[in-house]
Amino acid sequence: MSASPTDGRVRKGDRTRQAIVRRAADIASVEGLEGLSIGRLAGDLDISKSGVFAHFGSKEELQLAAIGAAVDVYVEHVVTPALAEPAGLIRLWRLTERWIAYSRDRVFPGGCFFFNASAEFDARPGRVRDTLAGAWRGWREMLLAEVETAKTIGDAPADLDTAQLVFELIAFLETANGISMLHDDESAYSRAGTAIRTRLLGAATDPTTLAPSLTGA
């Protein structure tokens, strides 16, 4: 059975929406979510303003869609590759390693989308802030879960302070992103990788066994 004209229009509409939200996420990573506009996106993508507006009923809906697109990109570049690694401290290392690559390689032109967007909306209550907070919370909970798994399987001692370790790892990553963006200092990423490796080895039950796996950041 051949596809109907309606099916073709739906697929084209989906592709157009995907292009819009990805471009919106790229723009927002540099200029902020408040910098998004229907006119800017229409011009960048050579689409009519009405064509862009048809996909979003308001600027807030556009901002939320951009966050959703950023989450998808984040999962693709950071989370999914790390899931191929053994659970525990090795996977925790790979998650941070992939995060460094995601920021360093400018998957988004403004570095980490969520670092920048969160700074823009952290003191502004509303749906956008709540959505950003939820995305950050999901990332933190993933790291917390890997530390707890490490403790369960014996990678790390049972009395390791999980929340403190995750706090430090996130701080190393976000500091590297900020320094790199503000000062054009790429060495911040290697320093963050070194700091994270040192911290994970210090948290490990047997650092000599773990050390060979903590390479590549």
Side-chain angles (χ1 to χ4, degrees):
M1 181 182 296
S2 60
S4 69
T6 300
D7 292 337
R9 287 194 295 270
V10 170
R11 287 195 296 270
K12 181 178 179 182
D14 288 344
R15 289 194 298 270
T16 299
R17 179 183 172 84
Q18 290 169 4
I20 292 169
V21 296
R22 179 54 204 263
R23 179 57 184 152
D26 282 345
I27 292 171
S29 75
V30 177
E31 301 177 16
L33 285 163
E34 283 297 311
L36 297 177
S37 72
I38 299 295
R40 167 71 180 278
L41 289 166
D44 284 359
L45 298 171
D46 195 24
I47 303 171
S48 68
K49 289 183 181 181
S50 61
V52 176
F53 186 78
H55 291 278
F56 312 98
S58 66
K59 183 171 183 176
E60 182 178 73
E61 291 299 327
L62 175 59
Q63 291 170 332
L64 293 171
I67 296 169
V71 169
D72 290 343
V73 171
Y74 192 91
V75 169
E76 176 187 355
H77 287 268
V78 178
V79 177
T80 300
L83 293 181
E85 300 293 338
L89 293 186
I90 293 176
R91 184 179 293 170
L92 189 65
W93 167 253
R94 293 302 178 203
L95 283 165
T96 62
E97 178 190 45
R98 293 308 307 164
W99 196 102
I100 287 172
Y102 147 84
S103 175
R104 182 191 59 221
D105 298 346
R106 301 296 185 253
V107 173
F108 290 108
C112 178
F113 173 95
F114 298 97
F115 179 88
N116 298 333
S118 296
E120 183 183 10
F121 277 86
D122 58 3
R124 300 170 60 178
R127 293 173 67 202
V128 174
R129 178 179 180 271
D130 291 346
T131 302
L132 288 167
W136 185 90
R137 195 160 50 246
W139 168 239
R140 178 177 180 272
E141 289 172 355
M142 181 179 299
L143 300 182
L144 290 170
E146 289 302 331
V147 178
E148 287 300 310
T149 297
K151 292 161 69 172
T152 299
I153 65 178
D155 275 3
D159 61 352
L160 177 67
D161 189 334
T162 299
Q164 181 63 33
L165 174 58
V166 169
F167 180 89
E168 291 177 28
L169 298 183
I170 292 174
F172 290 141
L173 295 173
E174 294 189 349
T175 298
N177 180 84
I179 291 174
S180 171
M181 293 303 303
L182 183 61
H183 300 290
D184 295 321
D185 183 0
E186 294 296 296
S187 70
Y189 293 116
S190 61
R191 293 185 185 283
T194 297
I196 291 169
R197 185 177 189 275
T198 299
R199 185 66 177 90
L200 291 181
L201 290 175
T205 304
D206 186 353
T208 60
T209 299
L210 182 67
S213 299
L214 304 195
T215 60

